[in-house]
Amino acid sequence: MKIMVCGKGGSGKSVVSVLMARALAKERKVLLIDSDESNILLPKLLGVEPPKPLAEYLGDRKSVFRRGEADVIKALGGAGEGVKLDDLPPECVSTSSEGVKLVTVGKVRGFGEGCACPFNYLTKLLLKNLVLGERDVVLIDTDAGIEHLGRGVEEECDAIVAVADPTAEALVLARGLKDFSQSRGKRFWLVLNKATPRVVEHVERRAKEMGLEVDGVISFDEEVFESCLEGRALRANVAARDVKTILRKVGLLGGL
């Protein structure tokens, strides 16, 4: 499966992506794609050195558009039908102690560098041409908001996980992601993150009013907060337990 992790800025997409990847790696071969052009914390959360971005490996951001699709896929290790996980350029892959492979699409690093369009395009090409084995799972940590939806990146995925913090804006965005998922026949799950007992009932009620169902709740975890504040490998106790519970509920652990 190819699963996109989406949500508003600050909702916790990177943390949820790492926790999902760690849990799934016990049963599956997992590729985690960092497609957020601005946030640089994900490798640290996973406990690995940042890999060389795919866009940089291809030359530069302009090279992504200059090359044709076949040329890009060939450069990324594709042969014939597409790109297998083990064929990606070694310098573009970092592997965690749990066996999670991390690939970074590209980052905006300086003033006047340009928009993130090449990175969205490259993410879409990669997802379209990845050849997955029976036990392979790809998780895509997306950029904040829904620009990736406008670029059509979601067209190449099988499912969307909408990560919502306890805000109205997060639920509005999730509603739009659900509408897209339903219109394209893709699986959709809504996960409430950073939850405290006091807000869960309120969020679930508001979500129901908007035609949404909360598929899982990830509790606020002080260890996660401290890891993100210090920019180090993610430690999680309560949140990791909750993520495993959600994955079992939706059938991603113990049978895909």
Side-chain angles (χ1 to χ4, degrees), residues 13-220:
K13 296 182 298 300
S14 295
V15 167
V16 173
S17 296
V18 169
L19 292 177
M20 287 178 63
R22 284 179 177 176
L24 290 169
K26 297 182 184 301
E27 298 182 5
R28 312 288 173 183
K29 183 183 291 186
V30 180
L31 173 66
L32 177 55
I33 299 177
D34 178 6
S35 70
D36 187 338
E37 75 280 356
S38 57
N39 191 348
I40 61 172
L41 186 62
L42 195 148
K44 292 183 179 181
L45 290 176
L46 189 60
V48 300
E49 291 298 315
K52 186 171 188 176
L54 297 180
E56 185 178 325
Y57 176 80
L58 293 170
D60 56 38
R61 55 195 298 122
K62 294 180 181 178
S63 298
V64 175
F65 283 140
R66 283 198 299 262
R67 292 172 180 254
E69 179 176 342
D71 185 39
V72 168
I73 298 309
K74 182 178 180 180
L76 295 181
E81 67 220 19
V83 182
K84 297 180 181 178
L85 301 191
D86 293 334
D87 293 335
L88 289 163
E91 60 264 54
C92 295
V93 181
S94 294
T95 305
S96 74
S97 59
E98 301 89 358
V100 177
K101 295 180 181 293
L102 172 67
V103 166
T104 296
V105 176
K107 300 293 178 183
V108 175
R109 301 185 185 277
F111 176 77
E113 186 178 329
C115 69
C117 302
F119 305 143
N120 279 291
Y121 174 69
L122 182 53
T123 301
K124 185 175 181 178
L125 282 188
L126 179 60
L127 291 176
K128 178 182 177 182
N129 288 278
L130 275 175
V131 179
L132 303 184
E134 183 178 352
R135 301 186 65 80
D136 295 347
V137 176
V138 178
L139 298 171
I140 307 96
D141 180 29
T142 65
D143 49 329
I146 57 172
E147 180 179 354
H148 42 82
L149 186 65
R151 301 290 178 185
V153 179
E154 276 85 348
E155 194 64 51
E156 308 303 334
C157 75
D158 302 301
I160 291 176
V161 174
V163 179
D165 56 10
T167 63
E169 182 183 358
L171 293 178
V172 170
L173 193 150
R175 178 69 248 189
L177 290 168
K178 180 180 180 180
D179 290 343
F180 165 81
S181 301
Q182 290 181 328
S183 69
R184 296 295 193 278
K186 300 180 186 298
R187 300 173 74 179
F188 173 84
W189 302 292
L190 172 59
V191 172
L192 172 60
N193 190 32
K194 306 180 188 179
T196 62
R198 183 176 179 180
V199 304
V200 171
E201 182 179 350
H202 295 290
V203 173
E204 289 183 334
R205 182 175 65 249
R206 178 59 179 151
K208 186 175 181 179
E209 292 171 355
M210 298 174 63
L212 294 166
E213 178 182 353
V214 177
D215 296 287
V217 174
I218 303 174
S219 304
F220 178 82

